[in-house]
Amino acid sequence: SVRELFLVSGLGAKKVSALWANDIDSLEELIMAADDGRIEAIKGFSSKSAIKFKASAEFAINSKNRMRLDEAWEISEYFIDLINSKFNKEIAFEAGSFRRKLETIGDLDFIIKDLAINELVRFLQDFVEIVKEEDNRLFANFNGRELSFLSVDKDYFGWAWLLETGNGDYREMLLARAQSQGYRVKDWQLLKDSKLVKTTSEQEALDLLDLPYIIPERREIAKPKPIENIIELKDIHGLVHNHSTWSDAVANIREMLIAAQDRGYNYLAMADHSKTSYYANGLSIVRVYAQAKEIAEIRAELKKQGSDFGLLHGIEVDIMTDGSLDYPDEVLASLDYTVVSVHQNFTLSKAKQTDRIIKAISNPYASILGHLSGRLLLRRPPYEIDQDAIIDACAQTGTIIEINAHPARLDMDWRYLIKAKEKGCKFSINPDAHETSGFDVVKFGLMMARKAGLQAGDVVNTAPTATNFLAQLKEFPFKL
Ligand SMILES: [Zn+2]
Ligand SMILES: [Zn+2]
């Protein structure tokens, strides 16, 4: 419908009605019209803007039927609990791209062990809209989301779960491997000499084919490298890059601190907004020093209580358009660390945007590069930058790369994390919390780190104490 044209960034009411007057009333139509020159012919449009709107329309189409990892997590937990508690045993498991923890999910796939498909349908019909049922598989709709449930006998569960988890390339590799070893594959089952082969677990199936176990998060290519001691949630000891009521969060520093302690962390590193982010109540220089005073008071209280919990004073410092940082050096030097981020001027040319960020991370006061690409998943594509050049600059300058754990961001993209690890970069998995419940997103950042094959040693906030954490960052040139 014409309303979906508003999903295209840069299209307001005036432009949408101009398009509509020219019979362009859907995203698909917009793309075709851009290709055959009809858009640039409309008053107020140009060939340049037609290209831009086409790219944005393609992004909107790709986003339409997908969900973020946090929504997928909620729906998945709901159905797994629902089915397991109804049948009073652990029979429902995640599969597909959600099990691989891809940053956005289309269909949500489940695999059900040892339950006849008609029994599952009879139970689920009160909770979902049944779309169809075929070959032991139920397709259903839940609040506009597409779900699939595959029912499998427990004796053949291992092989079926491998195939159902994917991805496509990994599945192809498995099928080719099975064939080369004299197996036949039929309907999610493995046969040898026309007899069904039992595989009650994935490990059992992989052992048969003499293949290593790969965690689901890493199964995005045909032959992922097995990685020892991949990072786990329990390895993370500090919460870095957090906001408070000093800028745009709803909790004050004391509330954030108690919530961090309650969750078993050892240190909390604050990072409220800097002055140029005035819309987020960014801190003027006077307020930076006032905040330092409050943090010193809270530290004194902690010490009096005999607590060794660490509280660090940092700021999320805006990267200015020319690549300078938002405060003079003496203000930066008064902090424990910084997160440097781009919050405005997303539309610079690729070369300018890249230079801007490289200049910022070359600053000795830039500890961590925040949400590098600026993407908002399913809402805003990354701005144009040369991520490889920026990775090189981070490696050279010892700037830590943030894995922003917010499910809207998950930025840096995990595909680039793999490259950055190869270059020797270090990372920080940061909640960017604006309320105490915001700490709970760390798990999503962790999933990205696991997809990239990171180990605890690659991630600076696995350090056990605040002092150990700081020791891995650039040392500020002088301290006031
Ligand atoms: Zn930010
Ligand atoms: Zn932030």
Side-chain angles (χ1 to χ4, degrees):
S1 77
V2 68
R3 224 186 307 158
E4 65 192 30
L5 293 180
F6 287 104
L7 295 170
V8 175
S9 73
L11 283 186
K14 214 171 143 187
K15 282 204 159 66
V16 167
S17 57
L19 290 169
W20 197 20
N22 286 276
D23 296 326
I24 296 161
D25 57 3
S26 70
L27 294 169
E28 289 79 4
E29 190 61 36
L30 176 73
I31 291 167
M32 281 190 285
D35 284 340
D36 59 27
R38 277 184 286 145
I39 298 219
E40 59 190 274
I42 302 170
K43 194 169 167 254
F45 292 81
S46 65
S47 59
K48 214 172 151 191
S49 68
I51 293 169
K52 203 182 81 192
F53 292 137
K54 182 191 165 186
S56 176
E58 284 167 344
F59 180 81
I61 287 175
N62 287 335
S63 305
K64 250 197 311 190
N65 297 312
R66 299 189 72 80
M67 64 187 122
R68 292 187 341 196
L69 207 39
D70 51 337
E71 184 187 349
W73 176 283
E74 248 177 65
I75 300 176
S76 173
E77 252 193 350
Y78 170 73
F79 280 98
I80 287 176
D81 287 351
L82 188 72
I83 295 167
N84 287 346
S85 52
K86 161 74 184 176
F87 296 97
N88 214 2
K89 53 186 171 182
E90 210 189 328
I91 57 169
F93 302 88
E94 57 195 37
S97 56
F98 177 65
R99 186 172 181 228
R100 301 196 314 272
K101 303 297 181 282
L102 207 56
E103 67 270 47
T104 64
I105 311 290
D107 312 349
L108 201 49
D109 299 322
F110 299 88
I111 187 164
I112 314 293
K113 196 194 277 190
D114 259 353
L115 181 72
I117 192 76
N118 53 351
E119 217 177 317
L120 183 70
V121 172
R122 208 175 316 134
F123 171 58
L124 282 183
Q125 62 192 4
D126 293 340
F127 302 93
V128 298
E129 185 194 316
I130 306 289
V131 176
K132 68 176 171 183
E133 185 203 320
E134 63 180 27
D135 304 335
N136 284 327
R137 191 189 284 280
L138 163 68
F139 293 96
N141 192 297
F142 176 73
N143 295 334
R145 298 303 184 197
E146 286 170 21
L147 313 182
S148 126
F149 300 84
L150 177 69
S151 156
V152 175
D153 186 299
K154 72 170 184 321
D155 286 343
Y156 312 112
F157 184 78
W159 176 249
W161 203 14
L162 280 173
L163 294 190
E164 190 66 354
T165 298
N167 73 359
D169 291 343
Y170 186 74
R171 184 162 41 227
E172 290 304 315
M173 181 278 294
L174 291 172
L175 293 171
R177 182 89 175 180
Q179 243 141 38
S180 76
Q181 302 207 357
Y183 291 91
R184 215 155 54 75
V185 177
K186 190 174 162 269
D187 300 338
W188 311 98
Q189 291 174 332
L190 208 51
L191 294 96
K192 193 146 205 178
D193 307 326
S194 341
K195 277 203 292 270
L196 285 172
V197 180
K198 278 192 189 181
T199 59
T200 55
S201 69
E202 287 187 323
Q203 185 71 62
E204 215 180 311
L206 292 166
D207 286 347
L208 282 179
L209 302 180
D210 202 18
L211 286 170
Y213 182 84
I214 303 287
I215 59 165
E217 293 95 316
R218 303 260 306 142
R219 299 180 199 164
E220 294 293 345
I221 51 174
K223 289 187 178 152
K225 211 169 59 199
I227 289 182
E228 306 263 303
N229 302 318
I230 206 151
I231 189 167
E232 293 177 47
L233 199 51
K234 66 168 173 52
D235 295 325
I236 308 284
H237 293 302
L239 294 165
V240 180
H241 183 174
N242 301 288
H243 298 263
S244 74
T245 45
W246 280 89
S247 63
D248 60 346
V250 295
N252 63 39
I253 296 178
R254 282 184 172 80
E255 290 163 335
M256 295 294 268
L257 184 124
I258 289 166
Q261 288 175 319
D262 285 351
R263 285 165 169 77
Y265 290 100
N266 299 342
Y267 50 100
L268 173 70
M270 301 308 299
D272 275 301
H273 284 289
S274 67
K275 63 179 169 32
T276 295
S277 285
Y278 60 89
Y279 52 86
N281 194 24
L283 272 62
S284 65
I285 292 174
V286 173
R287 291 178 70 231
V288 172
Y289 290 126
Q291 188 183 43
K293 198 163 152 261
E294 180 178 302
I295 284 178
E297 282 163 15
I298 299 174
R299 278 178 182 154
E301 289 164 24
L302 284 167
K303 201 165 174 193
K304 228 165 110 190
Q305 295 160 11
S307 165
D308 51 12
F309 189 89
L311 178 62
L312 297 178
H313 187 206
I315 297 277
E316 182 177 14
V317 184
D318 274 36
I319 298 175
M320 310 310 284
T321 306
D322 65 2
S324 62
L325 300 184
D326 199 11
Y327 296 118
D329 283 357
E330 63 268 26
V331 177
L332 297 169
S334 74
L335 303 168
D336 294 315
Y337 83 108
T338 62
V339 178
V340 299
S341 305
V342 167
H343 288 124
Q344 63 278 312
N345 285 322
F346 298 150
T347 54
L348 298 182
S349 71
K350 186 171 176 175
K352 278 202 177 124
Q353 196 70 279
T354 304
D355 288 350
R356 171 194 193 183
I357 293 175
I358 289 178
K359 185 174 169 204
I361 58 190
S362 306
N363 191 309
Y365 292 104
S367 315
I368 300 175
L369 174 58
H371 47 71
L372 160 63
S373 83
R375 72 178 182 183
L376 292 176
L377 290 166
L378 307 178
R379 273 176 52 207
R380 184 174 78 200
Y383 33 73
E384 289 200 47
I385 36 168
D386 181 344
Q387 296 219 30
D388 293 309
I390 293 170
I391 287 169
D392 285 341
C394 284
Q396 272 161 28
T397 57
T399 310
I400 309 297
I401 295 173
E402 174 174 85
I403 302 174
N404 191 296
H406 195 287
R409 294 189 180 274
L410 301 176
D411 188 8
M412 161 183 282
D413 187 306
W414 61 270
R415 296 159 190 85
Y416 283 101
L417 294 177
I418 297 173
K419 294 186 182 182
K421 179 184 158 105
E422 280 166 12
K423 298 275 175 147
C425 292
K426 299 265 188 235
F427 310 90
S428 187
I429 300 176
N430 297 345
D432 198 356
H434 286 73
E435 54 197 321
T436 56
S437 64
F439 293 150
D440 299 332
V441 304
V442 169
K443 62 175 181 275
F444 297 115
L446 182 90
M447 290 167 191
M448 300 304 116
R450 286 169 65 85
K451 287 191 84 59
L454 302 190
Q455 294 155 310
D458 297 317
V459 175
V460 292
N461 55 330
T462 59
T465 67
T467 314
N468 298 144
F469 163 76
L470 287 179
Q472 298 174 80
L473 311 182
K474 280 181 210 167
E475 202 178 334
F476 284 177
F478 68 95
K479 190 93 182 153
L480 289 188

